[in-house]
Amino acid sequence: MNRCGLAVSLSVLLAASLADAQQVNLRFSTWAGGEGLALLQQLAREYGTQNPGVNVTVEVTPFADYARKVAVQLASGDGPDVGWLAEQSVPTFLASRSLRDLSGLTAERAFNVADFPVSALSLWRQGRAVYGVPFSNSPQVLFYNKDLFRQSVVVDPLRQYSRGTWDYAAFRTAAKTITDRTDAYGARIMRLDVKAWNSGTLGVLWSHGGNAFDSNLKCALNSPGSVRAFQLMYDMTFRDGSLPRPGDQTTFQSGRLGMYIDNVSFSAQLGDAAFKWGVAPLPKGPAGRVTQLGQAGYVVFARSQSPNEAQAFLRFLASPAVMARTAKFFPPPRKSVLNSRAYLSSNPAIPTAELRTALVNQLPSARVFRTGENFLRANDVIASGIERLYQPGANVGNVLNDLCRQLDGL
């Protein structure tokens, strides 16, 4: 090769090396599924187009395994740069110093932190530091199969709610009637994976005056209200046969569940549903109508090799324009988006009136699940206890007493 050819080759290699050196590869971690995941992937591609030096890869882990997997990745030095974090995991990740302070971002005038209610940011603050920006502030709602209610000749939950009769007695009756008259289960309260026991279960506990932990973060699963709530769920499982046992994989998407409790983002998985469905508020219990506020936020992980670029991507995701797009699945904390007419009509599968009744009107009574720093360990104990609880012939009170002894001994 002559000198001229060698010089050209070296120039090409040098240019390629410089391009590689300037290219930033960000890993974005989420538990999203269905159309919600597709939207996040689209946003990642759009950001890469707008910022040619940055490539964003979206990584997915099921919700039940999400916090533990990310914690292991971070501990091994192979964690994502930016991602989602659920409210129950925040204390654990703060205690391990796994999150980057975002107060510089939230102080920017263009970010407009005043657009977020103070309550929405309280979980993510420590002193003047801000360790996450919530993107979803979602009261859990009741999804119900309109076809099964019609086949069973049961008044649907939304109509019962409007009449003031939608309580847990009516919920149990509707579930049993659907079970008796169709080949479906009447309801599912918990998600499929028992490690995600709190989703659905907490609303039942709180509405009966119970809780998972008290104000001092001591176990309250054996409190009188909690025992009443678990007894109701136990009886619906083994006496009525209207709730599937833990381990049963029957899904709402299959059309073989009359009712199911989840966040509105679950609607992203119903795009191909072969039945008509709707959303309604959760039933009312002896302590009122209380639902879980499923809050999730964007975070930058402390060990990111590209923290500035990761924060810039988070700024993009948390902007009003992008949050207005993700609002279709993730009810936004930004007041300008939540109160807009566009938001209430953003999900064509859920009529505006249903969304306002089932979600927006339930915000004042919704609660965030407060946990301690050792929740990952505690959750393993609770999941094991739940599996022991849902066995034929189990004594609900005794199992819960033993469970609390284990939790308070951690």
Side-chain angles (χ1 to χ4, degrees):
M1 178 182 294
N2 59 34
R3 291 182 180 180
C4 182
L6 179 60
V8 171
S9 298
L10 289 173
S11 296
V12 171
L13 288 173
L14 180 59
S17 297
L18 287 173
D20 289 341
Q22 294 171 355
Q23 181 73 29
V24 174
N25 294 305
L26 295 178
R27 293 164 57 198
F28 176 76
S29 187
T30 177
W31 60 81
E35 294 179 18
L37 173 59
L39 175 57
L40 289 174
Q41 292 169 329
Q42 173 64 30
L43 291 170
R45 289 192 294 271
E46 290 178 15
Y47 188 79
T49 301
Q50 297 170 18
N51 301 270
V54 180
N55 177 66
V56 182
T57 301
V58 180
E59 301 178 353
V60 184
T61 301
F63 178 77
D65 302 314
Y66 182 84
R68 185 175 300 281
K69 179 178 177 179
V70 172
V72 170
Q73 288 177 321
L74 294 174
S76 66
D78 186 36
D81 299 280
V82 61
W84 284 9
L85 200 62
E87 76 282 352
Q88 66 196 44
S89 302
V90 173
T92 299
F93 280 73
L94 287 177
S96 62
R97 299 184 179 181
S98 299
L99 308 179
R100 183 177 174 85
D101 179 11
L102 302 172
S103 56
L105 168 63
T106 58
E108 295 174 4
R109 178 177 295 182
F111 183 82
N112 189 17
V113 72
D115 199 21
F116 292 80
V118 174
S119 59
L121 286 170
S122 62
L123 181 68
W124 310 88
R125 290 187 184 275
Q126 278 195 343
R128 295 183 178 180
V130 179
Y131 291 97
V133 176
F135 66 86
S136 180
N137 211 43
S138 176
Q140 290 195 327
V141 301
L142 184 82
F143 287 84
Y144 67 98
N145 186 317
K146 294 183 177 182
D147 292 350
L148 289 177
F149 270 82
R150 185 179 64 255
Q151 293 170 26
S152 304
V153 196
V154 178
V155 177
D156 73 55
L158 203 57
R159 192 174 306 172
Q160 292 195 55
Y161 173 81
S162 68
R163 296 175 179 175
T165 59
W166 186 233
D167 57 19
Y168 276 98
F171 173 79
R172 181 177 181 177
T173 298
K176 188 175 188 309
T177 303
I178 290 171
T179 301
D180 291 345
R181 296 180 179 177
T182 71
D183 63 349
Y185 286 109
R188 176 185 285 280
I189 291 174
M190 289 193 301
R191 293 183 179 177
L192 292 178
D193 194 320
V194 72
K195 292 193 293 294
W197 63 271
N198 65 84
S199 182
T201 301
L202 281 177
V204 185
L205 265 60
W206 290 337
S207 295
H208 284 79
N211 211 334
F213 303 104
D214 65 19
S215 58
N216 296 315
L217 295 179
K218 294 293 185 181
C219 180
L221 290 168
N222 62 346
S223 65
S226 296
V227 173
R228 283 195 297 270
F230 276 113
Q231 189 67 60
L232 168 69
M233 293 182 280
Y234 182 89
D235 290 345
M236 290 181 68
T237 303
F238 294 102
R239 292 188 180 181
D240 301 349
S242 59
L243 295 184
R245 300 183 187 184
D248 185 292
Q249 298 299 300
T250 303
T251 65
F252 186 78
Q253 302 95 299
S254 70
R256 296 193 60 249
L257 280 178
M259 296 173 282
Y260 173 59
I261 299 172
D262 210 326
N263 297 316
V264 167
S265 58
F266 175 71
S267 64
Q269 301 182 44
L270 298 176
D272 297 325
F275 56 91
K276 294 181 179 179
W277 55 272
V279 294
L282 267 59
K284 183 178 181 179
R289 193 185 316 279
V290 189
T291 185
Q292 183 178 354
L293 186 63
Q295 193 177 81
Y298 297 123
V299 298
V300 172
F301 296 104
R303 289 193 174 188
S304 170
Q305 298 299 306
S306 306
N308 293 333
E309 290 81 2
Q311 182 169 297
F313 181 56
L314 189 152
R315 179 190 291 110
F316 166 77
L317 292 174
S319 66
V322 173
M323 201 167 277
R325 294 171 64 184
T326 59
K328 176 180 179 180
F329 304 116
F330 316 118
R334 279 192 180 274
K335 293 177 285 187
S336 61
V337 181
L338 181 65
N339 296 323
S340 68
R341 183 176 300 176
Y343 166 66
L344 290 174
S345 59
S346 63
N347 192 326
I350 304 178
T352 297
E354 284 188 22
L355 190 63
R356 182 181 289 112
T357 299
L359 189 145
V360 178
N361 292 353
Q362 307 308 316
L363 275 167
S365 62
R367 296 184 190 174
V368 172
F369 183 27
R370 297 283 181 173
T371 62
E373 297 176 0
N374 67 341
F375 181 68
L376 287 178
R377 290 177 60 201
N379 198 55
D380 288 340
V381 174
I382 296 174
S384 176
I386 294 291
E387 289 178 337
R388 287 188 290 120
L389 179 67
Y390 284 97
Q391 297 295 328
N395 184 299
V396 172
N398 289 346
V399 173
L400 294 174
N401 283 334
D402 181 60
L403 179 53
C404 279
R405 279 193 293 270
Q406 293 182 60
L407 287 172
D408 289 339
L410 289 177

